[in-house]
Amino acid sequence: MTTGILPEVKKHYGKTKNYIDGEWVESSSERTLPVENPATGEVIGEVPLSTADEVDDAVSAAQEAFEEWRETPPHIRVQPLYRLKTLFEDNYEEIARILTQEHGKVIDEALGSVRRTVDNIEFACGIPSLLMGDYLEDGAAAGIDEIAIRQPLGVFTAIAPFNFPAMVPFWFWPSAVACGNTFVVKPSELVPLTQQRIFELIDEAGFPEGVISMVNGDRETGAALIRHPRVRGVSFVGSTPVAKAIYAEAGSLGKRVQCQGGAKNFITVMPDANMDVCLPNMVASFFGNSGQRCLAGAVLVLVGDSADAVVDRFVTAASGLKLGYGLDPSVQMGPVAGRPQMEKILGLIDKGEAEGGKLLLDGRGVKVPGYEKGCFIGPTVFDHVDPESTIAKEEIFGPVVSIIRVKSLSDAIELANGSSFGNASSIYTSSGKSAREYTYRVEGGNIGVNIGVAAPMAFFPFGGMKDSFFGDLHGQGKDGINFFTDRKVVISRW
Amino acid sequence: MKQDFPEITSFGTLFAFAQALEEGLIRMSEEASTKGGPKAAEAGQAHKKHAKRAKQLERLRRERLNEVVLQPLEGMNRDAYAPDLCCPEDASGSALALAKAEEKAALFYEEAAEKAKSVLGGMERTLKKLAAESRELAASIRE
């Protein structure tokens, strides 16, 4: 291990291919997009925006593979997943470096997200136990037994966001495939290179042809997947308007749907919080992944009279973060994931200023020496933000904090529950009573107590509430198993 | 041999520093053991331990670092812990240099254990053990 910038795996990755029916296939689409490194501004690849015909090829192959795959015993079905886990461990650093290069997150964050990816493979390896049904002797009447079994449904798809290029598809497909379904992944067109490398490992792991496929593309490609009559279920992670639209459309077509939408996460700090311990964790919540996590803190709610002291310490810590290219291990915050994201965030900062927020730390116009073409926005902190203003209500998805001061814990809870979103929320406190009250009353799918990024592990469900989630069964954990299987009851008399 | 050490700005870089330290100590202890002298056996023992520790730290870094524990880390100055990993020509000088490097490593792991206490549950004991081991190695070489 040496200091300095870690090497890029490649300077240019070429044009990505689709992986259909166990083969690498060049897309025939004339529509393509460049893939840019957001830290350097360099073009590092090209992604095709696949056609509806190519989607049909992938889904048809998945459908063809389904019957034989569902008849493969569960303990055999998980063998390629075990091999894939080993391949991930062997290529762990390389995947993380590609991820940093195309997305911008710092290498620690990339490594952490690859770990979360592997966690989901490991979870799915337990499917022989997780898939077991229920059996009750004399369950229906004397001499009449009743059993409930789980069965796979067919072809599923996942449409992934840009903020976690490796991990998000793995919330879904390993469990789905281990349950006996087949699957088609569509990575985000902004960050397709990590999945390209991962699918090389998937190919090497030796899944039967058609069981797991990948189609590159944009919204049109995604729409073709959602509308395909052979697709039985859709998992989506992205913005709220798109999540809502997919939920409505796929639902109307009779498909299973789980759609994770946007977020506006409220982080409450009580006067009794141990700031020495909590401050670095709070800073990581707001600025980790450059604020581009669905679990990132967005609104800092300060309760009581100690707000000024917290603000001073928070701003000092935020202003000390080292920005740069994420392949430099000492960098603490990378760029945002692309030019359009950057423009959107800058526009919202302008709006926050225009609406009267007091700008304590301004990340606009920040320059990172050597990376002048990068999409960098420094930590940005607004104080005394009007709860009705745009930056207090809308998802910014960037390193921008809105501070709101309130008198009591009840006020803080009311404020958080006033949001249309309900993805995550955290409280920093030394009081068990306050923590209990917060976790009991806040309407959010993921609650942190002295934890700023309450990210459920692979064996727990991951999903929000209100406008942050559309569906009933969340991704990951037992919810995932339920989503990817149907229940069948058999009542027998002999 | 010159060894670069990363700035310690997060728990990820803390592990990176530890791995760089172990890699340096692997080389240094091997060199010291091949030079012979009365402490060659102790240096050889140190070499085996550092080879094992490097693997252990790589495994821990992969398994323990996820989003819940990623956060900025302050108060650990790499210059305070980065040892001089150059081996002098003579055997006794090499052994002494190795002992000094082990003492620096011990200091690093002791302070890393303190930092880990509230964030990386379960790591404090491991880091303290590494510190104690380095102290013992240093003492056995200096005896």
Side-chain angles (χ1 to χ4, degrees):
Chain A
M1 178 73 63
T2 55
T3 58
I5 301 206
L6 298 168
E8 293 173 342
V9 175
K10 291 180 188 173
K11 285 304 284 183
H12 196 284
Y13 294 82
K15 187 176 174 184
T16 59
K17 290 182 178 176
N18 293 331
Y19 183 76
I20 297 173
D21 205 15
E23 300 285 343
W24 289 104
V25 186
E26 186 106 32
S27 171
S28 62
S29 175
E30 290 175 359
R31 295 191 309 133
T32 64
L33 286 175
V35 182
E36 286 182 19
N37 177 335
T40 63
E42 294 167 330
V43 173
I44 57 171
E46 186 184 8
V47 61
L49 307 178
S50 301
T51 64
D53 284 347
E54 287 161 343
V55 166
D56 184 57
D57 289 345
V59 175
S60 298
Q63 180 63 36
E64 199 180 311
F66 173 61
E67 279 307 319
E68 198 169 287
W69 182 243
R70 70 157 289 192
E71 290 169 9
T72 305
H75 72 282
I76 307 292
R77 287 202 298 256
V78 297
Q79 295 309 313
L81 288 168
Y82 280 113
R83 292 194 290 273
L84 183 60
K85 184 242 179 339
T86 303
L87 287 163
F88 258 93
E89 297 294 356
D90 293 345
N91 295 277
Y92 187 74
E93 297 274 345
E94 183 188 301
I95 294 167
R97 279 190 276 130
I98 297 170
L99 201 161
T100 290
Q101 194 182 353
E102 74 168 339
H103 176 271
K105 67 179 69 186
V106 302
I107 190 68
D108 275 0
E109 291 165 345
L111 288 165
S113 74
V114 176
R115 175 52 46 201
R116 294 260 185 195
T117 307
V118 175
D119 288 345
N120 279 280
I121 300 172
E122 290 170 352
F123 173 78
C125 287
I127 216 71
S129 299
L130 292 163
L131 211 51
M132 281 182 185
D134 303 314
Y135 190 106
L136 189 59
E137 280 186 332
D138 303 317
I144 302 177
D145 301 334
E146 186 164 352
I147 66 170
I149 52 178
R150 293 180 188 279
Q151 294 189 326
L153 289 104
V155 184
F156 280 81
T157 188
I159 297 169
F162 69 82
N163 61 336
F164 282 90
M167 176 183 74
V168 171
F170 283 73
W171 286 351
F172 310 113
W173 81 255
S175 287
V177 162
C179 284
N181 303 286
T182 53
F183 213 95
V184 181
V185 171
K186 190 197 86 61
S188 164
E189 65 274 29
L190 297 178
V191 288
L193 305 176
T194 308
Q195 283 298 325
Q196 189 80 12
R197 180 68 186 111
I198 287 173
F199 265 78
E200 288 172 7
L201 304 183
I202 288 171
D203 184 52
E204 202 177 331
F207 290 87
E209 290 82 359
V211 166
I212 171 75
S213 294
M214 173 181 65
V215 179
N216 287 289
D218 62 355
R219 188 177 283 213
E220 283 183 33
T221 316
L225 272 167
I226 293 160
R227 291 172 190 152
H228 197 290
R230 296 282 195 186
V231 168
R232 298 294 306 273
V234 179
S235 302
F236 171 82
V237 180
S239 71
T240 289
V242 179
K244 206 181 243 181
I246 290 176
Y247 181 69
E249 178 167 14
S252 74
L253 296 169
K255 299 173 195 288
R256 293 192 170 199
V257 204
Q258 48 182 192
C259 290
Q260 292 185 219
K264 191 77 182 176
N265 302 320
F266 287 66
I267 308 293
T268 296
V269 181
M270 297 298 290
D272 60 7
N274 180 343
M275 287 304 292
D276 289 339
V277 173
C278 296
L279 185 66
N281 194 262
M282 283 165 53
V283 169
S285 172
F286 287 97
F287 302 115
N289 214 29
S290 304
Q292 297 188 304
R293 283 189 184 116
C294 65
L295 298 172
V299 181
L300 179 57
V301 183
L302 302 178
V303 179
D305 299 331
S306 57
D308 285 340
V310 174
V311 169
D312 287 347
R313 292 187 68 176
F314 183 79
V315 170
T316 301
S319 59
L321 289 175
K322 182 177 175 183
L323 265 69
Y325 189 7
L327 286 178
D328 175 348
S330 67
V331 162
Q332 293 168 305
M333 196 172 116
V336 297
R339 194 69 49 189
Q341 287 71 30
M342 187 179 178
E343 296 304 328
K344 182 193 160 201
I345 296 163
L346 291 173
L348 283 163
I349 296 173
D350 292 345
K351 195 159 192 180
E353 202 174 23
E355 289 182 351
K358 186 180 171 191
L359 199 48
L360 299 181
L361 192 58
D362 187 352
R364 292 173 295 187
V366 68
K367 296 280 180 247
V368 178
Y371 299 99
E372 286 75 13
K373 291 182 181 170
C375 301
F376 290 97
I377 299 177
T380 299
V381 181
F382 283 100
D383 198 2
H384 297 289
V385 171
D386 177 353
E388 294 304 315
S389 66
T390 307
I391 58 166
K393 297 178 90 166
E394 278 189 21
E395 181 176 43
I396 299 175
F397 219 55
V400 182
V401 182
S402 301
I403 298 176
I404 298 176
R405 296 150 187 254
V406 297
K407 287 183 181 156
S408 66
L409 177 60
S410 294
D411 292 344
I413 293 170
E414 194 178 324
L415 192 63
N417 286 346
S419 172
S420 60
F421 298 104
N423 204 47
S425 190
S426 294
I427 183 169
Y428 289 95
T429 181
S430 299
S431 159
K433 187 173 187 297
S434 297
R436 201 267 175 187
E437 181 75 357
Y438 201 80
T439 55
Y440 187 81
R441 288 179 56 196
V442 168
E443 297 159 4
N446 307 284
I447 304 295
V449 176
N450 297 318
I451 290 289
V453 181
M457 295 294 286
F459 23 91
F460 283 96
F462 194 142
M465 294 178 175
K466 300 197 286 188
D467 276 357
S468 295
F469 183 77
F470 301 91
D472 47 9
L473 293 168
H474 292 177
Q476 293 196 151
K478 289 178 190 165
D479 266 27
I481 306 301
N482 287 330
F483 184 77
F484 293 118
T485 54
D486 224 339
R487 303 299 299 269
K488 181 183 280 181
V489 169
V490 180
I491 299 172
S492 308
R493 176 163 57 197
W494 289 95
Chain B
M1 181 178 283
K2 189 179 180 304
Q3 176 79 35
D4 290 330
F5 290 97
E7 286 177 57
I8 306 170
T9 56
S10 64
F11 283 97
T13 47
L14 185 146
F15 272 99
F17 185 98
Q19 287 178 280
L21 185 61
E22 294 300 329
E23 282 175 23
L25 287 167
I26 287 169
R27 280 196 299 275
M28 191 181 194
S29 53
E30 185 178 28
E31 204 176 330
S33 71
T34 54
K35 283 186 175 161
K39 295 298 176 185
E42 284 80 358
Q45 186 63 22
H47 178 69
K48 278 186 195 162
K49 283 205 184 281
H50 288 299
K52 189 175 172 188
R53 283 159 53 144
K55 285 184 185 163
Q56 180 189 17
L57 283 161
E58 171 60 19
R59 196 176 63 246
L60 289 170
R61 183 171 74 107
R62 288 188 181 197
E63 291 173 355
R64 296 303 182 100
L65 287 183
N66 63 32
E67 285 163 313
V68 176
V69 298
L70 289 179
Q71 59 183 54
L73 180 60
E74 287 181 347
M76 291 198 74
N77 177 5
R78 71 173 159 185
D79 297 338
Y81 316 114
D84 180 355
L85 294 166
C86 293
C87 268
E89 287 299 312
D90 62 305
S92 60
S94 285
L96 185 61
L98 179 59
K100 285 181 181 170
E102 292 289 0
E103 283 156 1
K104 283 259 187 170
L107 177 68
F108 165 72
Y109 286 120
E110 282 160 2
E111 298 195 1
E114 274 303 304
K115 293 286 181 188
K117 200 175 350 184
S118 61
V119 178
L120 286 173
M123 281 298 302
E124 185 192 2
R125 179 173 165 270
T126 304
L127 292 167
K128 278 185 175 167
K129 194 163 169 288
L130 294 175
E133 207 169 73
S134 276
R135 289 245 179 258
E136 281 168 25
L137 287 168
S140 72
I141 295 165
R142 281 186 184 276
E143 269 172 8

